[in-house]
């Protein structure tokens, strides 16, 4: 070996070794620094998360404490306890905390029973005397705010964290407890928003070691005591801190950061898996190490590459020849016409498609100018594009031409300038001509189909809404624009729930919307009624909704379409028909069907409560003479006014029904004694004591009524109605303008309300003045 070459080789090897050592040392230091940075970042993240959680939980508990203090303070004022129940509830709970996860406030008496509840009146039945917070406050073992052990609520049947305060009576002693609770699910939802790494979690403990919430493990460990776990003394030893330890439950090593929640007996901690913390560092360290090894190997192999360079260059020439062969083969088999034209616009190359397009072989076209090939007319069409391309500007356009066989083709043409890289001079241009005849035919057919669809959607009477696969609006037909208040161009790209807000009949927004459900399940939804669409200006449309996904031919979801059929008038008509089925069309009083239903319910209630009820039949005296003398319109007005007076004279619990014609029925439930029937009878006669003003005339009219009592005169409504009707006809026979009560099958009905002493209406003839 040449000594100089050997010396050069030795120096190159030593240089490559030194360079490799330097690269290795630099990579090692970088890897160690990255590990320290990753650990510091995890520590700061844990600390920030714990501080945020402690602040959020502490704020919630402080707000609950202020709410409970307000209720307890008000309970210690005796004058408030004299208020009616509803007024007392409004006063006590006017400042009660209303937030997600916070339950109703209960006021417990000294026996642990709920006496007042913020969410229900009357309060629900439950006893909490066995709860730890109740016993601690009632015995005086604890004062102020007491946070109890997590328990399953007796009313809600959910895991709760109770928060309680005592209130005192007039004697200064503890009279009971005011308690509210935080749902454990509230903490789980709060912790779920942290987006922790795999194997990590958030825990909330009572200072007794009892688990309040352990995310992401759900309610599996709630209420369990971890006081004997080896990590628990560390959590309780100081207000806040961090350490690395292993959980007794799964033996996973984690980095714990904890903090006591304000002054409350709760500790919150964030535990990140050490493996998850260092996962990215391991990945980066591995990548850097591999990169370093590659660099080292590159340095060592550099000398070898130098020796192989010459041999490689010898292979290039043969490879270029082979590549040229491959390239020509590829170009000749492309479906497009590929050619090259020099600056003088003469052909230097064209593939074999020239036979079909021009009827000439590539050899026949070589050296031919564009003007000679195309002729004056066709050349004049492309000349402006050719001039621009030869000036260095790429050109792209479409045109039609007739091929060698006489067929008209649509051609997509591109001119790409061939520039010298050193000088930028244009030496010629590459031309690609692609036959798009079939594509054009399909585009025209698609346009016609789309136009038909557009006209169809614009002419139908339903609202049609189309979205993409993400639920963003792509189309609204005119009916949809009218019903939503959105113009199509304004709605484009917006979320469908913003443009088409659908609500249930109770006012709650549908979740999810039918269209999103169709996107999620990729199955049609509906049709479904009972949905309300709100216009931008607040107008409501009751609609029948249906939605279907749009699936392309590759079975890919591309969007969805929702159709809303306006059923507002239909639903209003249905409601009107349902109302007319149970109410009299003239007086708007309950009809016989509704009366019988209410009578069955009143009889069942009377049997359970041991009370009486009455059925009263009323008939206007001389009503036929009113119709015959003044006409049926006046008669109808009289019936309406009489019905209004009769309803006003009765209780809210009573039912006044028009039986037909001038006959009315009154159902009187909840009578404590038969004597109440006499009071009602006098009220009924008082209804006609004042004259009726009809079309400017004063008209006096009388009535006759009969009454039957449950259970004295019958056990069913039909029996009571029959006996009340008999008593009414007895009143008519006895001279009218009186109320009689049924007395038995063989007895004359007794008079409850006789003819008033000052009555001037004795017979039908005397009714009209």
């Amino acid at each position: 070996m040449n000594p100089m070459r050997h010396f050069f080789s030795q120096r190159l090897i030593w240089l490559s070794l030194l360079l490799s050592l330097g690269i290795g040392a630099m990579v090692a230091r970088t890897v160690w620094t990255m590990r320290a940075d990753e650990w510091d970042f995890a520590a700061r993240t844990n600390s920030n998360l714990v501080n945020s959680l402690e602040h959020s939980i502490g704020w919630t508990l402080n707000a609950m404490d202020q709410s409970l203090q307000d209720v307890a303070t008000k309970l210690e004022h005796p004058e408030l306890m004299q208020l009616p129940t509803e007024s007392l509830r409004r006063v006590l709970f006017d400042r009660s905390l209303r937030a997600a996860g916070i339950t109703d406030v209960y006021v417990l008496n000294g026996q642990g029973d709920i006496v007042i509840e913020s969410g229900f009146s009357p309060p629900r039945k439950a006893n909490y005397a066995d709860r730890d917070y109740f016993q601690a406050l009632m015995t005086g073992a604890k004062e102020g705010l007491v946070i109890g052990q997590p328990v399953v609520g007796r009313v809600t049947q959910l895991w709760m964290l109770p928060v309680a305060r005592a209130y005192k009576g007039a004697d200064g002693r503890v009279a009971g407890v005011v308690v509210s609770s935080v749902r454990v699910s509230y903490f789980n939802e709060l912790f779920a928003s942290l987006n922790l790494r795999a194997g990590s979690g958030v825990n909330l403990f009572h200072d007794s070691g009892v688990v309040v919430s352990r995310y992401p493990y759900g309610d599996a460990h709630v209420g369990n005591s971890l006081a004997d776990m080896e990590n628990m003394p560390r959590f309780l030893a100081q207000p806040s801190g961090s350490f690395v330890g292993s959980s007794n439950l799964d033996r996973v090593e984690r980095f714990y950061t904890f903090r006591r929640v304000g002054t409350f007996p709760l500790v919150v901690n964030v535990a990140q898996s050490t493996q998850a913390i260092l996962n990215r560092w391991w990945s980066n360290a591995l990548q850097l190490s591999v990169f370093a090894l590659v660099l080292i190997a590159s340095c060592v192999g550099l000398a070898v590459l130098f020796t192989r360079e010459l041999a490689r260059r010898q292979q290039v020439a043969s490879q270029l020849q082979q590549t040229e062969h491959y390239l020509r083969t590829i170009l000749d088999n492309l479906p497009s016409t590929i050619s090259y034209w020099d600056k003088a616009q003469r052909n230097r190359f064209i593939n074999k498609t020239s036979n079909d397009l021009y009827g000439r072989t590539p050899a026949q076209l070589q050296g031919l100018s564009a003007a000679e090939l195309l002729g004056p007319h066709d050349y004049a069409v492309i000349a402006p594009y050719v001039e621009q391309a030869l000036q260095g500007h790429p050109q792209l356009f479409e045109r039609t031409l007739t091929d060698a066989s006489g067929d008209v083709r649509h051609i997509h043409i591109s001119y790409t300038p061939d520039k010298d890289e050193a000088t930028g001079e244009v030496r010629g241009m590459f031309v690609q001509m692609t036959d798009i005849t079939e594509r054009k035919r399909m585009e025209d057919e698609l346009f016609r189909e789309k136009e038909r669809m557009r006209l169809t959607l614009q002419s139908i009477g339903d609202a049609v809404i189309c979205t993409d696969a993400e639920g963003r609006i792509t189309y609204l037909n005119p009916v949809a624009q009218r019903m939503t208040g959105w113009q199509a161009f304004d709605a484009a790209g917006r979320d469908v729930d913003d443009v088409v807000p659908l609500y249930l009949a109770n006012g709650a927004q549908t979740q999810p919307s039918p269209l999103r459900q169709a996107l999620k399940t990729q199955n049609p939804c509906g049709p479904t009624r009972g949905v309300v669409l709100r216009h931008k200006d607040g107008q409501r449309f009751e609609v029948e909704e249906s939605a279907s996904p749009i699936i392309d031919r590759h079975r890919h979801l591309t969007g969805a379409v929702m159709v809303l059929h306006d059923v507002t008038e239909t639903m209003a008509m249905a409601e009107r028909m349902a109302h007319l089925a149970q109410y009299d069309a003239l007086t708007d009083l309950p009809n016989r069907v509704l009366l019988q239903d209410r009578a069955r319910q009143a009889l069942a209630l009377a049997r359970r409560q041991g009370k009486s009820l009455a059925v009263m039949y009323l008939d206007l005296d001389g009503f036929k003479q009113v119709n015959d003398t003044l006409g049926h319109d006046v008669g109808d007005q009289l019936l309406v006014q009489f019905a209004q007076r009769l309803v006003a004279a009765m209780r809210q619990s009573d039912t006044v029904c028009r039986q037909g014609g001038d006959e009315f029925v009154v159902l009187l439930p909840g009578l404590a004694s038969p004597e109440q029937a006499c009071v009602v009878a006098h009220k009924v006669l008082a209804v006609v004591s004042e004259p009726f003003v009809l079309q400017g005339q004063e008209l006096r009219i009388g009535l006759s009524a009969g009454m039957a009592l449950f259970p004295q005169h019958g056990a069913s409504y039909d029996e009571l109605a029959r006996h009340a009707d008999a008593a009414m006809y007895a009143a008519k026979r006895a001279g009218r303008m009186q109320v009689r009560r049924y007395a038995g099958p063989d007895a004359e009905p007794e008079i409850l309300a006789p003819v008033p002493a000052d009555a001037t209406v004795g017979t039908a003839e005397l009714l009209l003045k």
Side-chain angles (χ1 to χ4, degrees), residues 99 111 117 211 306 334 340 372 406 478 486 584 630 671 690 749 755:
Q111 289 73 41
E117 182 178 356
V211 176
F306 285 157
L334 285 176
Y340 180 82
E372 294 170 341
W486 286 86
D584 179 53
L630 300 179
L671 298 180
E690 295 294 330
V755 179

Side-chain angles (χ1 to χ4, degrees), residues 159-306:
W159 277 103
M160 304 286 185
L161 181 66
V163 181
R165 268 188 174 274
Y167 66 91
K168 296 181 179 179
D171 57 358
R173 297 181 180 179
V174 176
V177 172
V178 181
V179 62
S180 183
S181 302
V182 184
R183 293 190 181 95
V184 171
S185 61
Y186 162 77
F187 299 115
N188 291 337
E189 292 169 2
L190 178 63
F191 300 157
S193 65
L194 299 182
N195 192 22
L196 297 174
R197 296 174 170 138
S200 304
V202 183
N203 304 308
L204 182 64
F205 299 101
H206 200 278
D207 62 2
S208 62
V210 174
V211 176
V212 176
S213 174
R214 192 162 186 265
Y215 178 81
Y217 304 102
D219 296 340
H221 302 103
V222 177
N224 294 346
S225 177
L226 302 181
D228 56 345
M229 299 299 180
E230 62 182 21
N231 291 334
M232 189 55 65
R234 294 186 177 184
F235 291 133
L236 303 179
Q238 50 189 347
S240 62
S242 300
F243 64 88
V244 176
S246 298
S247 170
N248 292 57
L249 298 177
D250 54 15
R251 308 312 302 174
V252 174
E253 184 182 69
R254 294 183 174 90
F255 177 51
Y256 293 91
T257 301
F258 64 91
R259 188 178 184 87
R260 181 174 290 272
V261 180
T263 59
F264 305 105
L266 297 174
V267 177
V268 62
N269 76 71
V270 176
Q272 294 200 60
S273 167
T274 55
Q275 181 179 357
I277 292 174
L278 297 177
N279 266 347
R280 188 171 63 175
W281 173 78
W282 279 111
S283 175
N284 292 336
L286 180 60
Q287 292 177 14
L288 283 175
S289 300
V290 171
F291 180 69
L293 290 175
V294 170
L295 286 179
I296 293 171
S298 298
C299 292
V300 173
L302 191 60
V304 177
L305 293 177
F306 285 157

Side-chain angles (χ1 to χ4, degrees), residues 673-718:
S673 65
E675 287 73 18
Q676 283 186 271
C678 297
V679 178
V680 175
H682 285 87
K683 286 185 178 181
V684 169
L685 289 181
V687 167
V688 295
S689 62
E690 295 294 330
F692 294 89
V693 179
L694 303 171
Q695 293 186 350
Q697 301 183 58
E698 288 191 357
L699 175 68
R700 290 186 177 275
I701 194 166
L703 63 80
S704 300
M707 181 184 296
L709 298 175
F710 170 84
Q712 295 93 322
H713 305 143
S716 67
Y717 171 72
D718 291 338

Side-chain angles (χ1 to χ4, degrees), residues 78-95:
E79 62 275 11
L80 291 181
M81 302 306 293
Q82 306 303 318
L83 294 175
T85 302
E86 285 304 315
S87 298
L88 179 59
R89 286 181 66 249
R90 285 194 294 270
V91 172
L92 287 178
F93 305 120
D94 63 337
R95 295 177 58 190

Side-chain angles (χ1 to χ4, degrees), residues 446-458:
L446 182 61
F447 175 79
R448 289 191 295 270
E449 183 67 23
K450 185 176 180 180
E451 188 66 11
R452 283 195 296 269
M453 290 294 295
R454 185 183 67 83
L455 294 175
T456 301
L457 291 176
Q458 287 186 344

Side-chain angles (χ1 to χ4, degrees), residues 712-713 723 726 741-750:
Q712 295 93 322
H713 305 143
H723 292 161
R741 182 168 60 193
Y742 183 75
D746 300 323
E748 182 68 17
E750 59 181 317

Side-chain angles (χ1 to χ4, degrees), residues 9-124:
S9 300
Q10 290 293 326
R11 289 188 62 181
L12 184 61
I13 292 173
W14 283 108
L15 181 62
S16 62
L17 290 176
L18 289 174
L19 182 59
S20 299
L21 288 175
I23 293 173
M26 184 180 299
V27 169
R29 178 176 175 80
T30 302
V31 168
W32 183 254
T33 302
M34 288 171 58
R35 187 183 187 280
D37 291 343
E38 196 71 33
W39 196 261
D40 289 343
F41 177 75
R44 289 194 303 272
T45 300
N46 270 17
S47 178
N48 291 337
L49 291 177
V50 165
N51 289 338
S52 297
L53 292 176
E54 185 272 337
H55 175 77
S56 178
I57 297 171
W59 182 91
T60 300
L61 295 176
N62 279 321
M64 291 181 67
D65 185 23
Q66 292 176 6
S67 178
L68 295 179
Q69 283 187 52
D70 180 67
V71 176
T73 301
K74 292 176 180 177
L75 288 170
E76 294 174 0
H77 290 76
E79 62 275 11
L80 291 181
M81 302 306 293
Q82 306 303 318
L83 294 175
T85 302
E86 285 304 315
S87 298
L88 179 59
R89 286 181 66 249
R90 285 194 294 270
V91 172
L92 287 178
F93 305 120
D94 63 337
R95 295 177 58 190
S96 296
L97 180 63
R98 295 175 178 86
I102 307 301
T103 65
D104 293 339
V105 179
Y106 301 157
V107 177
L108 309 180
N109 61 15
Q111 289 73 41
D113 295 319
I114 302 176
V115 293
I116 305 175
E117 182 178 356
S118 65
F120 289 87
S121 178
R124 294 173 284 189

